[in-house]
Amino acid sequence: MPKAAPVPEDLNPHHIARHQFEEAIPYVDDLKGWKGVSQWLFEPERVVKVTLPVVMDDGEVRVFRGYRVLHNTARGPGKGGIRFYPTVDEDEVKALASWMTWKCAVVDIPFGGAKGGVECDTTKLSTDEKRRITRRFVTSLGDTIGPYTDIPAPDMYTDPDTMAWIYDTYAMLHPNAENLGVVTGKPVDLGGIPGRGTATAQGSVFVAEHLLALGAVPGLSQIEDAVVSVQGFGNAGRHAAFILRDMGAKVVAVSDSKGGVFKAKGLDLEAVEAHKKETGSVVGTPGTRRIGVKGTLEVECDILIPAALENQITLENAERVSTKLVVEAANGPTTPGADRILASKGIVLAPDILANAGGVVVSYFEWVQNLEHEQWEESVVHARLRTKMYRAAEQVLTTYRRITERFPEYQARWRQFMPEAKAITHKPDMRIAAMATAVGRCKAALDRRGVWP
Ligand code: GLU
């Protein structure tokens, strides 16, 4: 029999974000006023597009495109990272900004959502070129960012150095003012907070650990001895691999943009890291078997951590995912079609807006530290992050259990409330539970504030 042609899938991140939002609405506690509010809550409040002329090292001028989207400020000022990546575009930044709104709401920190990006390939840029792009971008954004309006942070291919340049540029434009709170993820010796670098990974691990302890994952009760596969060896993936290994898990596979490595007995992560430092990739680490970039997603394991890009687990490969728990350390790694397949296979998924929120939680701590002129110890950051992540995981799981148990009631309530809308046919998953929690909190804030004027 010839193989069936793959089903085409809409991979536009903004369409996916809208789908996830709409799927959650029927489960929001208070449905009153939803018809208008849903549009208000999904559309970004502001989209800034800028053109950035930059002098390159060879003296030529090159033009880059930059974006900053302020998605929603119902619960506080905008918050979210800036990524430097070749495929950045408006729809991607809009999706990522909306995910930030839900992320901040699900972990209950007083921020709305925002995101930024510059379309560029940092692997082909010198440090000086990257700095000039950053400074020009911040100058072009002007007062659309600020300590009380919209606060950037690191994301893919930006780091504490980039945040230092953002701070410095903003501070040059706003002399004689306190500006440290304009950006988070700064170097520790420039108003940064200890533990921000590992925060995304540490938050993912706290979520996984707590879900296991609460009995959310059939057949898996602890991290110790769990077999783990990680896609990505950047900030989130690399730290997650080390933290889990140090907790007694067996990390059998990791990958980067060039490929992956596998070792059934467990990887020597120090050796993998040393090899990447030396050659630029994990591929070829002695004593490992080479697998593809997406090969990590199909490794038989207990915990799978996609920690790279959007749209990695799709209709094309979801059937071959063989794990008990997916922890989305990346933003948007799983498509809606793949969500359905994973659920039908009994795989539990800790969704991105919960699982990778550790980064923004510690960004929040950094912002508070800056505004209050405080300096927090790493042990304090660690303990407070754990409290936030455990609580959010527990709240999402409670919502998940409630809406699953009472599914027919939710179906009937929705049919009655919005007869013209699509009926809900499939049972909710943890993503829907997390989204319903987050969207419900944003709607409650809007209801309290009312519509101006
Ligand atoms: N870029 C990170 C994220 O996607 C962190 C955002 C922040 O710290 O503001 O969550």
Side-chain angles (χ1 to χ4, degrees):
M1 271 255 291
K3 251 176 90 186
V7 189
E9 216 179 348
D10 181 355
L11 297 180
N12 177 307
H14 192 234
H15 298 173
I16 290 176
R18 175 182 286 281
H19 173 90
Q20 293 169 345
F21 172 73
E22 286 174 354
E23 269 203 316
I25 295 174
Y27 301 98
V28 171
D29 283 340
D30 178 9
L31 286 175
K32 224 174 33 252
W34 255 108
K35 286 174 194 168
V37 171
S38 63
Q39 200 180 348
W40 183 15
L41 254 184
F42 186 72
E43 291 302 322
E45 288 179 16
R46 179 169 71 201
V47 178
V48 179
K49 278 188 256 187
V50 290
T51 302
L52 311 171
V54 174
V55 181
M56 306 305 278
D57 290 347
D58 62 5
E60 293 291 325
V61 173
R62 254 182 73 189
V63 172
F64 296 88
R65 244 187 303 267
Y67 306 87
R68 183 76 186 171
V69 174
L70 181 65
H71 174 255
N72 188 273
T73 54
R75 290 172 41 89
K79 186 83 193 80
I82 290 177
R83 66 171 53 177
F84 283 0
Y85 203 68
T87 55
V88 161
D89 65 20
E90 186 176 329
D91 273 359
E92 184 191 55
V93 180
K94 274 161 110 176
L96 289 160
S98 70
W99 288 329
M100 286 309 304
T101 301
W102 316 134
K103 197 183 296 189
C104 293
V106 95
V107 288
D108 196 13
I109 54 175
F111 287 132
K115 199 82 172 198
V118 176
E119 188 190 332
C120 64
D121 183 352
T122 55
T123 63
K124 300 197 175 100
L125 296 171
S126 70
T127 303
D128 280 346
E129 289 168 339
K130 203 173 153 184
R131 186 172 56 223
R132 287 195 288 272
I133 293 173
T134 307
R135 288 198 185 282
R136 183 75 194 207
F137 186 42
V138 173
T139 310
S140 299
L141 293 179
D143 281 330
T144 58
I145 61 167
Y148 299 99
T149 51
D150 179 358
I151 304 124
D155 199 79
M156 283 171 53
Y157 293 90
T158 56
D159 57 17
D161 287 339
T162 328
M163 302 307 114
W165 302 328
I166 293 176
Y167 166 68
D168 185 67
T169 309
Y170 187 87
M172 291 298 108
L173 297 170
H174 299 81
N176 310 316
E178 280 193 21
N179 296 309
L180 274 180
V182 69
V183 62
T184 60
K186 299 180 292 297
V188 175
D189 49 12
L190 185 67
I193 194 164
R196 177 63 185 83
T198 52
T200 306
Q202 185 62 65
S204 303
V205 172
F206 281 145
V207 167
E209 184 181 48
H210 206 47
L211 289 178
L212 297 187
L214 295 170
V217 186
L220 191 65
S221 59
Q222 58 177 30
I223 301 251
E224 207 182 333
D225 295 329
V227 176
V228 176
S229 178
V230 184
Q231 187 201 31
F233 209 61
N235 179 268
R238 186 167 59 88
H239 289 305
F242 276 98
I243 295 170
L244 288 167
R245 195 272 318 264
D246 292 346
M247 291 170 76
K250 186 160 78 170
V251 180
V252 296
V254 299
S255 65
D256 57 32
S257 60
K258 301 198 177 71
V261 285
F262 174 84
K263 188 174 181 182
K265 283 196 182 137
L267 293 164
D268 174 351
L269 291 176
E270 278 78 9
V272 174
E273 183 158 67
H275 189 78
K276 186 169 168 78
K277 218 172 188 172
E278 204 184 301
T279 66
S281 174
V282 298
V283 175
T285 306
T288 65
R289 180 157 68 76
R290 182 179 184 155
I291 55 176
V293 175
K294 287 191 169 179
T296 38
L297 303 171
E298 298 177 22
V299 164
E300 199 179 326
C301 58
D302 297 311
I303 303 176
L304 171 63
I305 308 194
L309 280 166
E310 295 101 71
N311 295 334
Q312 296 301 299
I313 306 178
T314 64
L315 282 183
E316 194 273 313
N317 61 357
E319 248 345 307
R320 298 193 295 277
V321 171
S322 175
T323 191
K324 297 189 176 97
L325 172 66
V326 176
V327 182
E328 292 187 325
N331 289 308
T334 314
T335 63
D339 273 343
R340 295 284 81 74
I341 296 174
L342 297 184
S344 72
K345 287 164 65 94
I347 296 172
V348 178
L349 181 139
D352 47 8
I353 60 166
L354 168 67
N356 71 33
V360 75
V361 168
V362 176
S363 275
Y364 165 58
F365 297 159
E366 180 177 333
W367 182 74
V368 172
Q369 179 190 261
N370 294 152
L371 300 190
E372 301 289 328
H373 312 113
E374 284 184 12
Q375 280 183 321
W376 295 22
E377 297 291 330
E378 186 157 3
S379 56
V380 174
V381 173
H382 189 84
R384 291 191 182 175
L385 174 63
R386 182 172 50 216
T387 303
K388 275 284 187 201
M389 300 313 290
Y390 276 12
R391 187 177 301 152
E394 202 165 322
Q395 286 170 343
V396 169
L397 184 63
T398 304
T399 303
Y400 169 72
R401 286 178 170 156
R402 186 188 68 236
I403 63 183
T404 313
E405 274 159 27
R406 295 175 27 201
F407 180 54
E409 278 172 51
Y410 280 94
Q411 278 179 307
R413 185 181 81 135
W414 184 242
R415 215 177 301 126
Q416 200 180 8
F417 179 76
M418 198 96 76
E420 69 277 19
K422 259 202 320 236
I424 30 174
T425 49
H426 55 78
K427 280 206 161 188
D429 55 19
M430 291 267 278
R431 187 186 314 283
I432 290 177
M435 283 293 292
T437 308
V439 174
R441 285 181 182 160
C442 293
K443 173 159 189 296
L446 288 181
D447 285 345
R448 293 229 172 237
R449 293 174 63 161
V451 184
W452 177 263

